[in-house]
Amino acid sequence: MFSLTAASNMSASADAPEPWYLALLGFAEHFRTSSPPKIRLCVHCLQAVFQFKPPARVEARTHLQLGSVLYRHTKNSELAQTHLEKAVRSQAISQFEDVKFEAASILSEFYCQQTLVDSAKPVLRKAIQISQQTPYWHCRLLFQLAQLHALEKDLVSACDLLGVGAEYARVMGSEYTRALFLLSQGMLLLVERKLGEVHPLLTLCGTIVESWQGHPIQKESLRVFFLVLQVTHYLDAGQVKCVKPCLKQLQQCIQTISTIQDDEILPANPAALFHWLPKEHMCVLVYLVTVMHSMQAGYLEKAQKYTDKALMQLEKLKMLDSSPILSTFQVMLLEHIIMCRLVTGHKATALQEISQVCQLCQQSPRLFTSHAAQLHTLLGLYCISVNCMDNAEAQFTAALQMTTHQELWTFIVTNLASVYIREGNRHQELYSLLERINPDHNFPVRRFLRETLKMSNAEDLNRLTACSLVLLGHIFFVLGNHRESNNMVVPAMQLASKIPDMSVQLWSSALLKGTAVPQHKLTVRFMFEGVEEEEDRFIFWPDGGAKEQLIVS
């Protein structure tokens, strides 16, 4: 952290460091890196520096070191803040501007941890204004402020900052860092659903990535970033078949990265001193994207296989790495495998995995905030699967209050409508809900279902195909056209067995036997099998604010 680097830098300046300074800094580093760390003694050594009335540059750096140690290793937040603020306010000294910029970066991080986001922004903005002659710090601070805006859902400001960074990197002659800024911008545009802007940006990024010549691991990491965005873009559009070549490239790319040795990368251009993700994190991300594709295509056994691999790797990584992104990956993987369990009929396992997600979210307020709506939605889906319609309605209602994401909102409302249909006596609420989904809901059902079949067949969306077929078969059955009904239901049954989709299989089986029994009445006894009483109480969790109620034994 401060292993005499500062002292060696000062040696290159006009005044060599005093022996007392080298001694105190060495002792501080020794105490900090001891096992276990002796932070109190480390702090004492750094505080002793001020007793010698050191030069301004030494004083500023010592404030930075003290603030950083106190922030990262103690609960003395007030003293940490004081030292970091003094380091930020220190007079700029030629060749030592990095002290101010590093202090600004850590102070901003500190403010965000203390939920003082409005205090963090001006610190970063001021540092960005005065760091244009220091390429590494200018780019890093731009990334940091953009991330801060993104976490606040201010994606427009975040994209603007990333655009500024991309242009700055171009001027500084770093096409590598320019690509990182542009790819980050593309990621936010995908989140913001500005698909018209995503396509030309990804095209530009593809050109930059393929033409850039540099260290192999940097080159391949750019390609992984680019291909992840491409695959996500296709999946967002439901183009599961079209995405296969990109997904194959992505999987080949991560295999290539795993064979490259981890040599230290020291680019000549200081603006290029960045790396997107460690290769171990990239590997988990590629597993996650593969799971997303398998789920959407209806290859649930494949989704389960890749989820198991990813979760095993995550467990190993988390023993040595406390990076928050690993918990995010874990939650996303679990959310997908929970949906997989619900489709395949493993309800008790699904509920246990929902509990795991809740425990992960309890450890991180940010994760809980960003995934609370999904948690309620998953609980609502579980409640439907075990025919607890009142609980399902409560969960979906809670989820709707927690999301502004259009696709998730539509998914929740559609499932809430299915609850009203299953209950059979909620016509007024159902029509009101249909008005919210689509005011013009008087459409030709069979024609729309046939168009859905055509689209799903074209893109190999197996679950959508199976559901459309069995629903068409049910309509023909009710109309008395049993021959046409069988023509729909038999392929639905075959496809559902291949996925496997337990609900569609049960529904198809009932129709083939000549009984148009409502689906939930067919499945309820099967779905309750193996559900633990203690976990079953989980479905009564009503309040998104009561985090402690999420945890089940």
Side-chain angles (χ1 to χ4, degrees):
M1 180 183 174
F2 37 80
S3 53
L4 301 184
T5 304
S8 62
N9 285 342
M10 290 177 192
S11 298
S13 67
D15 301 317
E18 297 284 349
W20 57 261
Y21 177 63
L22 290 175
L24 286 170
L25 200 63
F27 277 126
E29 178 68 353
H30 167 73
F31 291 132
R32 188 187 70 85
T33 56
S34 296
S35 183
K38 299 173 181 177
I39 299 303
R40 183 184 294 275
L41 293 175
C42 171
V43 170
H44 284 330
C45 289
L46 291 172
Q47 287 174 330
V49 171
F50 299 124
Q51 302 300 317
F52 291 87
K53 307 294 182 186
R57 62 180 180 275
V58 174
E59 184 177 347
R61 190 175 290 280
T62 305
H63 280 303
L64 167 61
Q65 291 164 342
L66 272 167
S68 180
V69 168
L70 290 164
Y71 165 51
R72 301 192 191 285
H73 298 282
T74 76
K75 295 181 179 179
N76 196 338
S77 55
E78 189 175 335
L79 191 57
Q81 180 178 344
T82 299
H83 282 294
L84 289 170
E85 287 175 346
K86 284 181 178 178
V88 168
R89 290 197 299 267
S90 63
Q91 183 180 355
I93 304 164
S94 179
Q95 299 180 0
F96 297 99
E97 297 94 338
D98 61 310
V99 171
K100 285 179 70 73
F101 304 141
E102 186 176 354
S105 176
I106 297 173
L107 181 60
S108 171
E109 187 183 321
F110 168 84
Y111 282 146
C112 290
Q113 190 191 65
Q114 301 292 315
T115 65
L116 301 169
V117 177
D118 289 337
S119 298
K121 291 177 190 173
V123 171
L124 289 174
R125 289 195 194 103
K126 185 175 180 181
I128 288 167
Q129 286 173 2
I130 62 175
S131 63
Q132 293 192 28
Q133 302 306 312
T134 313
Y136 167 74
W137 279 108
H138 191 66
C139 291
R140 178 168 165 172
L141 294 164
L142 281 167
F143 275 126
Q144 190 171 349
L145 185 55
Q147 183 182 33
L148 184 54
H149 281 296
L151 288 173
E152 284 200 308
K153 309 296 184 189
D154 183 2
L155 302 185
V156 174
S157 297
C159 282
D160 289 345
L161 284 162
L162 293 169
V164 170
E167 178 58 20
Y168 177 82
R170 185 192 67 78
V171 171
M172 297 306 295
S174 177
E175 287 295 282
Y176 169 75
T177 304
R178 181 189 178 203
L180 283 178
F181 275 113
L182 289 173
L183 288 166
S184 301
Q185 194 176 34
M187 179 173 63
L188 294 185
L189 289 171
L190 276 172
V191 172
E192 209 175 357
R193 310 295 296 165
K194 291 188 175 179
L195 303 184
E197 297 178 41
V198 170
H199 184 70
L201 187 64
L202 287 182
T203 303
L204 172 60
C205 288
T207 304
I208 295 171
V209 170
E210 291 307 315
S211 61
W212 183 74
Q213 300 299 317
H215 193 284
I217 200 161
Q218 285 185 310
K219 170 91 171 178
E220 292 303 311
S221 70
L222 282 181
R223 291 191 73 223
V224 169
F225 197 170
F226 170 69
L227 287 167
V228 164
L229 294 187
Q230 265 206 323
V231 170
T232 307
H233 188 29
Y234 277 121
L235 291 179
D236 264 1
Q239 295 177 305
V240 170
K241 192 174 184 177
C242 300
V243 81
K244 287 181 180 178
C246 289
L247 187 58
K248 189 174 181 180
Q249 283 184 62
L250 180 58
Q251 291 163 343
Q252 290 170 343
C253 201
I254 202 67
Q255 288 176 350
T256 302
I257 284 180
S258 65
T259 63
I260 300 172
Q261 287 189 344
D262 284 328
D263 299 326
E264 190 174 2
I265 304 168
L266 292 172
N269 189 336
L273 287 166
F274 295 95
H275 193 58
W276 177 46
L277 282 176
K279 64 183 182 182
E280 296 82 7
H281 293 197
M282 282 190 265
C283 184
V284 175
L285 178 59
V286 173
Y287 278 138
L288 174 58
V289 170
T290 305
V291 168
M292 290 166 64
H293 173 262
S294 301
M295 284 290 297
Q296 203 161 326
Y299 305 132
L300 300 194
E301 289 180 352
K302 186 177 177 183
Q304 187 168 331
K305 181 181 80 171
Y306 280 108
T307 300
D308 291 342
K309 286 184 176 182
L311 290 174
M312 281 177 60
Q313 187 155 344
L314 274 169
E315 287 302 320
K316 291 176 185 175
L317 287 173
K318 289 181 79 173
M319 284 189 264
L320 303 169
D321 187 344
S322 59
S323 175
I325 199 169
L326 295 179
S327 294
T328 302
F329 287 159
Q330 192 173 0
V331 167
M332 293 177 73
L333 283 161
L334 285 168
E335 285 174 350
H336 280 82
I337 200 62
I338 288 161
M339 289 188 284
C340 182
R341 307 282 193 214
L342 292 171
V343 171
T344 57
H346 298 93
K347 313 303 173 182
T349 308
L351 193 58
Q352 290 163 6
E353 287 164 341
I354 292 173
S355 172
Q356 287 181 45
V357 175
C358 294
Q359 289 170 28
L360 284 166
C361 288
Q362 192 187 39
Q363 296 163 17
S364 166
R366 183 183 60 81
L367 264 182
F368 181 78
T369 301
S370 57
H371 288 267
Q374 290 93 316
L375 272 169
H376 279 291
T377 304
L378 290 169
L379 281 167
L381 294 173
Y382 169 80
C383 293
I384 287 179
S385 74
V386 294
N387 202 30
C388 296
M389 295 302 156
D390 289 344
N391 300 109
E393 182 180 356
Q395 296 297 339
F396 290 137
T397 302
L400 285 174
Q401 294 169 357
M402 296 180 179
T403 187
T404 56
H405 191 278
Q406 185 59 43
E407 281 75 17
L408 181 57
W409 182 90
T410 304
F411 181 75
I412 296 166
V413 169
T414 305
N415 279 284
L416 183 55
S418 79
V419 170
Y420 293 152
I421 291 169
R422 286 162 184 258
E423 289 190 305
N425 58 351
R426 306 290 296 277
H427 303 299
Q428 190 56 50
E429 292 98 326
L430 176 62
Y431 291 136
S432 174
L433 209 55
L434 290 174
E435 285 288 339
R436 292 172 69 188
I437 299 170
N438 182 3
D440 182 23
H441 54 263
N442 294 313
F443 43 76
V445 174
R446 276 181 288 176
R447 181 165 67 84
F448 274 37
L449 280 172
R450 289 187 188 280
E451 288 179 11
T452 301
L453 267 175
K454 186 178 177 181
M455 288 188 293
S456 60
N457 275 325
E459 284 295 339
D460 290 344
L461 296 164
N462 293 328
R463 283 200 64 224
L464 186 57
T465 300
C467 290
S468 301
L469 282 169
V470 75
L471 187 52
L472 269 170
H474 196 124
I475 290 169
F476 283 121
F477 184 92
V478 171
L479 293 174
N481 190 340
H482 297 286
R483 182 177 177 180
E484 191 65 26
S485 174
N486 282 359
N487 289 340
M488 300 289 131
V489 173
V490 170
M493 181 75 157
Q494 292 168 344
L495 198 51
S497 302
K498 180 182 171 184
I499 291 170
D501 187 324
M502 190 59 65
S503 298
V504 173
Q505 283 180 269
L506 290 166
W507 192 355
S508 302
S509 178
L511 289 169
L512 290 173
K513 288 176 182 175
T515 54
V517 180
Q519 183 206 5
H520 64 282
K521 290 186 179 179
L522 288 167
T523 61
V524 62
R525 186 176 62 186
F526 169 79
M527 299 309 182
F528 267 114
E529 187 177 335
V531 176
E532 297 286 342
E533 181 183 349
E534 181 67 25
E535 288 179 326
D536 199 33
R537 281 187 282 165
F538 197 26
I539 66 176
F540 296 101
W541 171 53
D543 180 10
K547 249 192 311 189
E548 64 279 0
Q549 292 184 35
L550 283 167
I551 307 305
V552 256
S553 59

